[in-house]
Amino acid sequence: MKKKMIRILLTAAMTITMTGCGSKPQETTTPEIPKTDQAEEAPDAAPADKSDLIVYTQKTMNQYFHVALQEKVEEAVGAAGFKVEVANCNNDSTLQNDQFRNFISKNPKAIIANAVDSDALNDVANDAVKAGIPVIMVDNPASTAVVDGSVKFDNFECGKMAAERIVDALTAKYGTPKGRLVNVYGAMSSECWRLRKDGFESVISQYPDIAYIEVPGEGERAKSQEALTNVIAKYGGEIDAVHCPSDDPGLGCAEAMQIADLWYPVGNEKHVIFVTGDGEPDAVRFLQEGYYDAIIVEDAYAYGPIAVDLLTQYLFNGEAIPTSGTYTNENYYWKTAEFMDSETGPVLQVPPYALDASNVNEEGHWGVAALEAEGQ
């Protein structure tokens, strides 16, 4: 897949899923995704040779983060000399279970999975392991299934870091941590968003003078825009800070702020503190333009290559993935991740980091690289 294809695919997906948001085409619009060359085959396709097929079950293609994640899975599998097949369930956990079972019937060399619902995928993931198929969970893991490995993000720390940035900005504004803060949180069916909310509130709860308002955006752009719009209306626009745990729904919040005349750059007396998570290109551009205070980055480019590394370095050689020690990769800004043990098997936990005006021009940020690839 060519580098610019990722924007073309996402633009198609968002046009259908977000019609009526009143967004600018390049900033908050999103199109139906045409299938890639490695797209999902019909359920009755002949089983492939287990020696050369690695499959990936994808949660959605309606967010740039997950389009980028899938692209890097496909690239990494191909670069390692294997065939790849992808199934996208469009955030339907029942469909994802069906697709996963279809993959098991193909007897692939490995399954890479990004769960829609951390609870819903447990049984079928366990079935794959019992069938002798290595399973690597990426981004959003299963909650109880014991799999061969999970590559996950420290979402609790991500939430904490976002809250700390907002506390610091409120303190700089008022001389003390106070003000009205709105958290437009994600869907609680996702372990990732649950942990980000928990981490965020573990910090904010320490500051009683911060008026904390939480509203569900469900991780969707339109719902997040509506949720923040309602809060803005309720308080007559008198808000000091906004947090959204992911960049795609965060763009809905940005749209709500623009419509309400709350969209001013850092340093302007009317600026509303704004912190999101992930590091998608549109959010990076707003950061570069001065409207975002910080983005707590989750590296979408890392999951595919890491998953394939774990398969080829350990599991395909009959070795278990480590449960301690470090993984180092100089291609990424974060450089080093930690292996650890968990109730669901070995975990490689990728660390978050804050992207802001002080480091946005440094090398290694996936969202910056995506913008550059598009010529922006």
Side-chain angles (χ1 to χ4, degrees):
M1 184 185 295
K2 295 181 180 179
K3 290 182 177 179
K4 290 190 178 180
M5 183 61 66
I6 191 170
R7 175 68 68 178
I8 295 170
L9 294 179
L10 187 68
T11 301
M14 298 178 76
T15 298
I16 289 178
T17 59
M18 302 310 302
T19 299
C21 290
S23 331
K24 296 178 181 178
Q26 291 185 345
E27 295 177 356
T28 54
T29 56
T30 76
E32 183 175 16
I33 306 296
K35 292 182 179 179
T36 67
D37 292 340
Q38 297 85 17
E40 178 186 0
E41 296 179 8
D44 59 354
D49 183 351
K50 183 175 181 178
S51 67
D52 66 1
L53 177 65
I54 295 176
V55 297
Y56 175 52
T57 171
Q58 167 73 302
K59 65 188 294 184
T60 181
M61 289 286 276
N62 289 341
Q63 294 179 0
Y64 195 108
F65 182 93
H66 293 290
V67 177
L69 196 163
Q70 178 176 317
E71 180 188 48
K72 294 305 176 182
V73 168
E74 292 177 323
E75 287 182 2
V77 171
F82 300 101
K83 295 179 181 178
V84 63
E85 182 181 335
V86 175
N88 171 31
C89 69
N90 291 313
N91 282 320
D92 184 332
S93 61
T94 300
L95 178 58
Q96 186 170 45
N97 269 272
D98 292 341
Q99 292 171 338
F100 204 118
R101 291 196 183 281
N102 181 48
F103 277 156
I104 292 174
S105 72
K106 293 173 181 288
N107 196 32
K109 191 170 183 68
I111 296 174
I112 302 172
N114 186 359
V116 172
D117 185 323
S118 299
D119 296 325
L121 211 60
N122 289 317
D123 289 345
V124 71
N126 281 328
D127 289 346
V129 173
K130 290 176 183 176
I133 302 169
V135 175
I136 300 287
M137 304 297 300
V138 296
D139 182 31
N140 200 36
S143 59
T144 62
V146 180
V147 298
D148 298 275
S150 298
V151 186
K152 58 191 293 188
F153 183 62
D154 193 342
N155 286 287
F156 188 86
E157 183 65 21
C158 175
K160 286 182 61 179
M161 291 175 67
E164 288 164 355
R165 284 294 176 126
I166 289 173
V167 169
D168 288 346
L170 288 172
T171 303
K173 180 177 181 178
Y174 290 117
T176 186
K178 67 177 184 179
R180 183 172 287 130
L181 162 63
V182 185
N183 182 20
V184 187
Y185 62 87
M188 293 295 96
S189 62
S190 164
E191 178 183 289
C192 298
W193 280 324
R194 286 200 305 267
L195 288 171
R196 291 189 190 189
K197 186 173 187 288
D198 290 346
F200 190 83
E201 292 175 346
S202 74
V203 173
I204 296 302
S205 63
Q206 301 174 39
Y207 299 94
D209 291 335
I210 295 177
Y212 177 59
I213 302 162
E214 56 176 51
V215 289
E218 299 300 326
E220 297 180 19
R221 192 182 299 192
K223 289 183 179 179
S224 297
Q225 178 181 347
E226 181 182 8
L228 183 57
T229 296
N230 290 339
V231 174
I232 291 171
K234 180 178 180 179
Y235 292 98
E238 296 297 321
I239 60 174
D240 297 290
V242 173
H243 171 252
C244 191
S246 294
D247 285 327
D248 188 81
L251 294 175
C253 294
E255 184 75 7
M257 293 167 69
Q258 291 169 31
I259 292 171
D261 192 28
L262 297 177
W263 193 245
Y264 295 91
V266 176
N268 188 295
E269 63 179 9
K270 295 183 179 180
H271 172 68
V272 175
I273 299 158
F274 196 34
V275 177
T276 64
D278 289 341
E280 293 184 7
D282 283 334
V284 169
R285 186 171 63 247
F286 280 141
L287 176 67
Q288 292 171 333
E289 293 171 353
Y291 292 98
Y292 282 28
D293 291 76
I295 305 167
I296 310 303
V297 176
E298 178 180 8
D299 198 335
Y301 280 7
Y303 287 110
I306 291 174
V308 173
D309 279 352
L310 298 182
L311 288 169
T312 57
Q313 292 181 25
Y314 299 104
L315 299 177
F316 292 170
N317 293 321
E319 301 177 16
I321 293 172
T323 55
S324 63
T326 59
Y327 170 94
T328 301
N329 194 318
E330 294 294 327
N331 292 327
Y332 308 115
Y333 188 83
W334 45 267
K335 299 293 188 290
T336 301
E338 299 294 327
F339 285 109
M340 59 188 66
D341 199 6
S342 78
E343 294 181 353
T344 61
V347 169
L348 180 60
Q349 184 159 277
V350 177
Y353 67 89
L355 181 66
D356 58 25
S358 72
N359 64 352
V360 70
N361 293 320
E362 297 177 11
E363 295 293 325
H365 310 301
W366 79 269
V368 175
L371 281 178
E372 291 173 350
E374 295 164 8
Q376 297 187 45

